[in-house]
Amino acid sequence: MLNGLQNKVAIITGAGQGIGAAISRRLAQEGAKVVLVDINADCLKDIAHELDTETLTISADISKKNHVLNMVEQTKNTFGRVDILVNNAGIIRDGFLSRLSEDDWDKVMDVNLKGPFLCCQAVFDTMKAQNSGKIVNIVSRSWLGNIGQANYSASKGGLVSLTRTLALELARFQINVNAVAPGLIETPMTKNMPEEALARLLRMQPTGKMGSVDDIAAAVAFLSSGDGAFINGQILHVDGGKSCGLLSL
Ligand SMILES: NC(=O)c1ccc[n+]([C@@H]2O[C@H](COP(=O)([O-])OP(=O)(O)OC[C@H]3O[C@@H](n4cnc5c(N)ncnc54)[C@H](O)[C@@H]3O)[C@@H](O)[C@H]2O)c1
């Protein structure tokens, strides 16, 4: 068991499937009370039923400020505090530059960058009053650059900068802000990728295989725990080494 997660209140966005569901399970196993948030609320009840902890499920679009404010309000009304925020919800709308529409750009920025900004802002007063808090942003190894993902990579690069800036701004309130950068992980998001694109990504993978959602959940749990207390403003790549450079065999 990790230190200091017992009875902590954790909001996880995009908790309905994939990485967000795994993070919710892991934080629940560590004794946290979990607030499961997703734009697609259908799957949240099933996940909540599995968990052996107090839960709250909220249907919200994190790119909408009124939804986000309501999410924090409901959490405080139910549990009285917010200890952990995991900004996990994210989307892809891939395409080469010439084919990316303005809508593809705006949607990805709204969910992947504006959403986490709104969520961080919404929990800030509560965490400041508590004089403690942990924020973990799920970015992507793609923030370093990835062909066909100009919008996605830029959104995650923006989220890296937001992470580092808020780490500086919020440290004085004992709020840690870190990011986890997953590599290629087996989830519904990657299952929906074109076969050819997935095969290309696997060829570039040092481990030759995808990571699991539990690999990401473990990193998030560590950064959310007391064990990560002096870690602030860091980007933890969980990618089987892919961020270390080009693979030439
Ligand atoms: N799967 C990977 O290989 C991979 C790699 C790097 C980074 N990531 C990042 O990890 C995070 C989770 O990815 P995943 O693969 O589990 O994705 P996923 O598509 O399987 O799940 C994302 C969840 O977010 C929810 N969501 C989407 N838009 C939302 C919104 N506006 N408001 C609230 N919820 C919303 C979806 O309904 C879904 O349940 C994302 O931020 C993604 O960019 C994933």
Side-chain angles (χ1 to χ4, degrees):
M1 292 281 277
L2 290 160
N3 247 327
L5 282 170
Q6 200 69 30
N7 292 320
K8 287 289 182 322
V9 176
I11 297 177
I12 303 105
T13 69
Q17 62 180 37
I19 292 171
I23 293 168
S24 308
R25 288 189 187 100
R26 178 64 195 262
L27 292 179
Q29 279 163 16
E30 296 286 344
K33 301 171 186 175
V34 295
V35 181
L36 307 159
V37 180
D38 208 289
I39 195 168
N40 174 10
D42 292 349
C43 26
L44 291 181
K45 294 273 180 231
D46 289 344
I47 296 167
H49 276 130
E50 279 176 36
L51 304 180
D52 189 18
T53 187
E54 287 178 62
T55 59
L56 173 66
T57 60
I58 300 177
S59 167
D61 176 350
I62 53 137
S63 66
K64 300 212 161 71
K65 187 169 180 170
N66 57 334
H67 287 212
V68 170
L69 292 176
N70 176 56
M71 170 187 91
V72 174
E73 188 70 14
Q74 278 196 59
T75 303
K76 286 178 67 185
N77 288 342
T78 308
F79 295 123
R81 52 191 294 123
V82 183
D83 298 295
I84 298 160
L85 166 67
V86 184
N87 281 312
N88 165 76
I91 58 168
I92 47 174
R93 296 278 186 281
D94 292 355
F96 285 95
L97 180 64
S98 53
R99 273 183 265 140
L100 270 187
S101 69
E102 190 178 345
D103 191 52
D104 291 332
W105 178 270
D106 288 344
K107 284 234 163 64
V108 167
M109 287 297 161
D110 274 359
V111 178
N112 295 5
L113 184 54
K114 184 176 141 189
F117 156 69
L118 291 174
C119 292
C120 289
Q121 200 174 48
V123 299
F124 171 60
D125 282 346
T126 308
M127 288 184 174
K128 182 182 168 193
Q130 290 167 187
N131 202 35
S132 71
K134 305 275 186 189
I135 298 176
V136 182
N137 296 321
I138 306 300
V139 296
S140 167
R141 191 223 58 93
S142 301
W143 81 274
L144 295 164
N146 202 22
I147 287 173
Q149 291 197 311
N151 53 353
Y152 182 77
S153 299
S155 72
K156 295 299 190 178
L159 189 50
V160 165
S161 294
L162 183 68
T163 302
R164 291 167 57 94
T165 300
L166 294 187
L168 290 169
E169 283 190 16
L170 308 191
R172 79 193 73 169
F173 308 112
Q174 312 308 318
I175 301 169
N176 300 55
V177 189
N178 290 291
V180 171
L184 196 56
I185 306 295
E186 203 166 355
T187 69
M189 183 187 264
T190 41
K191 271 195 195 111
N192 291 335
M193 284 176 96
E195 225 171 275
E196 190 190 313
L198 197 57
R200 185 176 56 82
L201 289 174
L202 276 172
R203 281 197 299 278
M204 289 153 58
Q205 183 61 38
T207 51
K209 58 174 188 168
M210 291 198 235
S212 81
V213 290
D214 294 333
D215 293 327
I216 307 306
V220 173
F222 170 65
L223 290 173
S224 306
S225 75
D227 292 340
F230 203 52
I231 302 174
N232 196 25
Q234 300 306 301
I235 316 304
L236 177 56
H237 288 88
V238 182
D239 65 354
K242 195 172 167 189
S243 51
C244 294
L246 283 177
L247 190 66
S248 55
L249 291 174

